[in-house]
Amino acid sequence: MGTPRNLPAELTGFVGRDDELAELSGLLARERLVTVTGTGGVGKTRLALRAAGQSQDRFRDGVWLVELSGTRDGRDSELLDRTVADALRLPDHTTRPPRLALAEHLADRELLLVLDGFDLLHSRTAALVAELLRRAPALRVLTAARRPLGITGERLLTLEPLPVAGDAVRLFAERAAAVLPGFAVTEENAAAVAELCARLDGLPLALELAAVRLRALSVEQLLDRLDDRFRLLTGGDPGAEPRHRALRTTIGWSHELCTPAQRLLWARLSVFTGRFDLDAVEYVCGGPELAEEGVVETVAALVERSVLSREEGPDGQVRYRMLESVREYAAGWLTVLGDETRMRRRHRDWYLGLATWCELEWFSPRQAEVAARVAADLPNLRLALEFSLDGTAGEPAEDPAVGQYLAATLWFCWVGCGRLGEGRHWLERAMELSGAPSGPRAKVMWVYGYVALLQGDSAAALAALQECRAEAEATGNAAAEAYAVHRLGCLALVSDDMPRAEHFIGDALRRYRRIGELNSNVLMGQVELAMAVAFQGDVPHAVRLAQEVREICRDHGERWTLAYALYVLAYAAWLAGEPERARRLAEESLAIDHAFHDLVGAVLALELLALITEGEGAPHEAAVLQGAAGRLWESVGLRLFGSRYFNAPHLICERRLREVLGEPAYAAALAEGGRLTLDQAVRRALDRPGPPPSLPRDRPPTAAPSRTSPLPL
């Protein structure tokens, strides 16, 4: 198994920097915090990523890149922490502050964290890094920034531009050959190339942008035009820092060579963050001055000029992004045009529409596509949420209902895609907005209640759901009232009040039928009703309910709710003495939950597979799975919801394992499982071969469950 990592593949050749690379690798071997500093465009990120990739075998728990250029410095102090946690694939379920969850996750891990693009978040990043290093003794951090973090123990590598006589010319020649096949440095052009590289101070980004110009100009023509642009774009300021002047001049030169339409699109694209697709660009940036049908050609032209980079994902979808230096330049022009607020509103409207489409398509065969789309667009969805809830340029949010609608519409992302913590953060901010009772406000309340109860915060869930129900009843909002009643039933379910859970969820399902509501939430309600009746002993009824959900999910292509229905059916099969069927169902449930990053469903399935594995005569492996589940519950919240019903299979399995293995071996296996990541635990559970024929395949409970048995399902 390779070392975990999320470093991007290199798309172009790495030129020079042998000495700096060796020095940086040495620093990473000795020091806990290393910062590569230097001016913009000098190649800090590229060097840091190359050194990190070469050092990955030193770190048991991997090398992880966190790109922070898409995180804006708004009022949201937690967004930085959440972005780091997201890059580390840290489950986001508990009510704990994300910084605390990060510190606990990293406490016993040997890991290299690479932070890039945080110049606008400098002080916050410094505080975060200092705390993580203090609380995680085996953690090492590599950062790339224009200035040091200023933390005790920080070691610096100041990156200078490439030497003109060697590597700068090599880089220019290599990039020039990529855009102009056949280009080479010859006796005839060598002096001009060397002079051009010297004029651009050996800055890699400036050299790469200049190389693109060779499609239209010779090296000599580039030189002829360079002096004029230096004077024009820097205002002739003799005190300007030469390297900043070179970079800004080169970017400004690219800007000057663009057509008016290309310049306008470049400025408008600055409202995006991270990666974005062509559909978004056409909607957000199109208009009377920039016809939508001409956007495609204009985007292609900006790619040709290296203003945009084009990236094709594993799903074949093409996305674009701008380097932060290039985006900052464009944002300045958008401000000059006085169009920032309007463009951010259009940006918000696009992602509002995307969220609406995704919510509808969540209940369809495109559910996995929706999950992937939301994950890819999350940085821009966050930016839309910030604008909707905060406004811009000192102006408050225009309409509280818009922010409430967006935060609530993304419920499937918060609940179904493993982002409970972040979801609660945005929902709380949406609930803080003033406003009269409305549909969006009611939806925010029931979604907030749903998230809070899954996190084990029953008091907050109860307050929000009761307020939602009362407000919905007063305003005649039948849908919101049904959802509030449903989630009150869920709260009773995880609070061990099964008769009340059955009453509320059954009532909600009847309300859904009356208003013609059918979606993943409604089907999940039927699964939860199956759990409630099963916990009261009526397993056959539970099986009928779950099987009906399974069939509806198959008809509609729904997978998320299907995983929970399979969980119910798997446990029922285990109770009926059908371990092979139970394993097949539980494994399918786990695979679906893992694909959607639904940690609640995944950890429930792992607990069940531990019980099944114990019955197959593999006690050590069962204990390892229990240990993995135990570690993952820390990321969910209250272990097994604090419920004696949900906890019953765990206790049965634990008792048997202690008897068979003995305390020392059981504790050692738990510790082994506790060291597994979610991916490793899932792989281990799903890759397990069947038991030897000579071993018993099941060890049923000591007494068969009756209609009044406290055993779940």
Side-chain angles (χ1 to χ4, degrees):
M1 186 184 304
T3 304
R5 55 178 284 177
N6 69 338
L7 302 182
E10 293 184 334
L11 301 180
T12 56
F14 187 85
V15 176
R17 302 294 196 194
D18 294 342
D19 292 341
E20 294 95 331
L21 190 58
E23 183 181 354
L24 183 53
S25 297
L27 287 171
L28 289 175
R30 301 188 304 271
E31 309 294 344
R32 296 194 60 210
L33 172 60
V34 181
T35 296
V36 180
T37 64
T39 191
V42 78
K44 302 181 294 293
T45 300
R46 190 67 187 271
L47 180 70
L49 292 179
R50 170 57 72 103
Q54 292 183 351
S55 303
Q56 63 181 341
D57 292 340
R58 302 177 189 169
F59 300 96
R60 182 191 66 202
D61 297 301
V63 176
W64 299 92
L65 169 66
V66 185
E67 296 178 314
L68 293 170
S69 59
T71 305
R72 307 292 175 85
D73 191 17
R75 58 165 271 192
D76 192 346
S77 59
E78 289 190 354
L79 191 53
L80 168 65
D81 304 344
R82 294 191 184 282
T83 303
V84 176
D86 194 41
L88 288 171
R89 301 173 190 169
L90 178 60
D92 175 22
H93 282 72
T94 70
T95 58
R96 294 174 298 171
R99 183 163 302 189
L100 176 60
L102 265 174
E104 292 177 354
H105 174 75
L106 294 171
D108 59 353
R109 283 177 164 79
E110 297 176 9
L111 180 147
L112 175 62
L113 189 63
V114 184
L115 301 178
D116 183 45
F118 58 85
D119 288 293
L120 298 179
L121 302 163
H122 188 273
S123 59
R124 292 182 182 179
T125 304
L128 172 63
V129 170
E131 183 169 351
L132 294 182
L133 287 172
R134 186 170 58 252
R135 302 187 60 170
L139 172 67
R140 300 202 180 192
V141 178
L142 171 61
T143 72
R146 296 178 187 177
R147 59 192 174 108
L149 289 173
I151 299 172
T152 301
E154 182 180 24
R155 297 294 178 266
L156 303 180
L157 189 154
T158 301
L159 195 60
E160 300 294 338
L162 293 170
V164 172
D167 291 337
V169 170
R170 282 180 54 212
L171 177 65
F172 179 82
E174 186 174 303
R175 300 300 188 261
V179 300
L180 187 65
F183 176 87
V185 178
T186 65
E187 290 184 5
E188 289 76 17
N189 66 14
V193 169
E195 185 178 353
L196 178 65
C197 292
R199 295 282 188 89
L200 295 177
D201 291 305
L203 279 174
L205 179 57
L207 294 170
E208 293 186 359
L209 291 173
V212 176
R213 305 277 72 79
L214 291 179
R215 290 193 178 102
L217 301 170
S218 68
V219 177
E220 290 76 12
Q221 288 173 317
L222 285 176
L223 272 175
D224 289 342
R225 287 160 173 75
L226 193 58
D227 279 339
D228 289 342
R229 284 161 179 78
F230 263 126
R231 288 190 292 271
L232 175 66
L233 295 169
T234 64
D237 179 8
E241 205 283 320
R243 292 166 194 166
H244 290 163
R245 184 176 64 206
L247 178 61
R248 182 167 178 81
T249 296
T250 310
I251 296 176
W253 187 4
S254 295
H255 187 264
E256 184 182 345
L257 292 173
C258 288
T259 65
Q262 291 164 8
R263 294 176 197 168
L264 182 60
L265 180 59
W266 185 352
R268 291 179 175 179
L269 287 172
S270 67
V271 298
F272 290 96
T273 187
R275 296 165 179 82
F276 46 88
D277 63 23
L278 186 60
D279 290 339
V281 174
E282 288 179 319
Y283 177 87
V284 175
C285 301
E289 312 90 346
L290 190 62
E292 189 172 312
E293 58 271 16
V295 169
V296 177
E297 291 78 10
T298 311
V299 166
L302 291 178
V303 171
E304 288 180 359
R305 297 181 183 277
S306 296
V307 172
L308 290 177
S309 60
R310 178 186 183 277
E311 301 176 3
E312 187 168 338
D315 57 356
Q317 296 297 312
V318 173
R319 290 177 173 269
Y320 303 91
R321 68 179 304 175
M322 277 193 288
L323 290 174
E324 187 60 18
S325 298
V326 177
R327 195 202 67 78
E328 288 175 5
Y329 184 92
W333 277 106
L334 188 64
T335 301
V336 169
L337 293 171
D339 208 17
E340 181 182 2
T341 298
R342 186 179 74 89
M343 294 309 302
R344 288 206 63 184
R345 187 184 302 118
R346 288 182 65 84
H347 175 277
R348 177 209 61 196
D349 291 347
W350 170 262
Y351 287 99
L352 195 70
L354 176 67
T356 302
W357 176 85
C358 286
E359 183 188 31
L360 292 172
E361 291 297 316
W362 183 254
F363 185 58
S364 80
R366 304 178 72 172
Q367 197 172 54
E369 178 187 337
V370 168
R373 179 68 184 269
V374 168
D377 285 312
L378 192 57
N380 279 295
L381 286 165
R382 287 170 175 156
L383 199 60
L385 281 163
E386 284 184 351
F387 179 78
S388 301
L389 299 173
D390 290 347
T392 187
E395 300 175 6
E398 298 171 327
D399 183 355
V402 175
Q404 291 168 341
Y405 175 87
L406 180 55
T409 297
L410 288 168
W411 69 265
F412 61 91
C413 176
W414 316 139
V415 176
C417 300
R419 299 184 183 276
L420 291 177
E422 179 169 357
R424 183 165 181 174
H425 169 77
W426 292 114
L427 293 162
E428 283 178 340
R429 288 182 55 184
M431 289 173 65
E432 290 171 0
L433 297 176
S434 60
S438 64
R441 174 178 162 80
K443 189 170 183 178
V444 161
M445 286 191 286
W446 74 253
V447 174
Y448 175 85
Y450 186 15
V451 168
L453 76 88
L454 289 175
Q455 292 181 307
D457 191 349
S458 298
L462 181 62
L465 293 170
Q466 286 180 333
E467 183 180 357
C468 177
R469 186 182 185 185
E471 190 172 292
E473 186 176 0
T475 58
N477 189 335
E481 189 174 0
Y483 282 106
V485 170
H486 176 182
R487 296 310 167 194
L488 285 168
C490 293
L491 185 57
L493 181 69
V494 299
S495 302
D496 285 351
D497 189 344
M498 297 307 149
R500 185 176 176 84
E502 182 180 0
H503 168 74
F504 273 121
I505 298 173
D507 182 19
L509 291 174
R510 290 187 290 274
R511 291 171 184 265
Y512 289 142
R513 283 193 289 271
R514 283 200 297 271
I515 62 176
E517 192 88 343
L518 180 62
N519 54 37
S520 298
N521 276 308
V522 174
L523 292 180
M524 188 65 79
Q526 186 160 327
V527 173
E528 292 152 352
L529 179 62
M531 292 178 178
V533 299
F535 286 153
Q536 296 174 83
D538 194 351
V539 177
H541 186 196
V543 169
R544 289 194 297 273
L545 289 169
Q547 187 58 43
E548 183 180 355
V549 171
R550 184 184 188 184
E551 292 169 0
I552 296 173
C553 286
R554 301 288 194 200
D555 290 342
H556 288 269
E558 211 283 354
R559 302 282 292 166
W560 174 63
T561 306
L562 173 64
Y564 286 85
L566 293 171
Y567 168 78
V568 173
L569 293 171
Y571 205 97
W574 185 84
L575 287 174
E578 302 176 52
E580 293 182 3
R581 182 168 182 267
R583 173 171 284 281
R584 287 197 303 273
L585 292 166
E587 286 180 344
E588 185 179 356
S589 174
L590 176 60
I592 295 171
D593 287 322
H594 185 235
F596 283 109
H597 306 288
D598 183 349
L599 193 59
V600 174
V603 72
L604 285 173
L606 275 175
E607 291 276 11
L608 179 53
L609 282 166
L611 181 61
I612 294 169
T613 301
E614 186 280 329
E616 293 171 341
H620 174 81
E621 192 65 20
V624 169
L625 294 181
Q626 269 206 336
R631 175 67 180 263
L632 294 171
W633 276 115
E634 296 173 7
S635 299
V636 173
L638 193 59
R639 186 185 183 102
L640 289 157
F641 313 114
S643 163
R644 67 186 181 92
Y645 288 96
F646 281 98
N647 200 36
H650 175 89
L651 293 178
I652 292 172
C653 187
E654 179 182 337
R655 185 182 67 248
R656 293 176 176 178
L657 293 174
R658 289 182 186 276
E659 291 174 357
V660 173
L661 295 173
E663 289 298 329
Y666 177 64
L670 284 181
E672 180 184 345
R675 291 190 292 270
L676 299 177
T677 65
L678 174 61
D679 290 346
Q680 291 167 340
V682 170
R683 192 178 302 116
R684 187 150 179 170
L686 298 182
D687 289 350
R688 171 171 161 70
S694 59
L695 293 175
R697 297 191 64 82
D698 186 37
R699 299 174 64 187
T702 53
S706 68
R707 290 182 59 88
T708 58
S709 170
L711 286 175
L713 313 188

